[in-house]
Amino acid sequence: MSKTRLSIVLSAIFFFATLMGTGPGLHLVNPLPGETPATILGMPILFAWAVFWFCVQASVVMTAYCKLWKVQEETKS
């Protein structure tokens, strides 16, 4: 996969994760008022939802770091 295509794919994934993590995606798992929040392994599902999308964003950044960003040598003055 070329670097340009990879950067477009990673940008799209990061944008989607940003929307789903803190935007309209919260309404998919947010309980109605008066309902008991669901849990996953003892964590409220809303917290688990946010952590999942944060992990998606972190893996996009790590992929970009390893595959796209180049290390530039510092020049001595």
Side-chain angles (χ1 to χ4, degrees):
M1 184 180 288
S2 70
K3 288 188 176 190
T4 303
R5 184 172 175 183
L6 181 61
S7 64
I8 291 170
V9 169
L10 290 176
S11 297
I13 292 170
F14 193 86
F15 180 71
F16 183 72
T18 301
L19 282 178
M20 293 302 288
T22 59
L26 286 179
H27 296 293
L28 295 173
V29 295
N30 198 13
L32 296 173
E35 288 184 1
T36 305
T39 60
I40 295 177
L41 300 173
M43 282 192 305
I45 197 164
L46 191 60
F47 181 74
W49 179 264
V51 168
F52 169 74
W53 288 111
F54 170 77
C55 290
V56 170
Q57 290 176 329
S59 44
V60 166
V61 170
M62 289 304 298
T63 303
Y65 175 76
C66 293
K67 301 283 183 179
L68 299 175
W69 298 338
K70 298 195 187 301
V71 176
Q72 296 179 356
E73 292 184 27
E74 294 183 23
T75 58
K76 295 182 180 181
S77 299

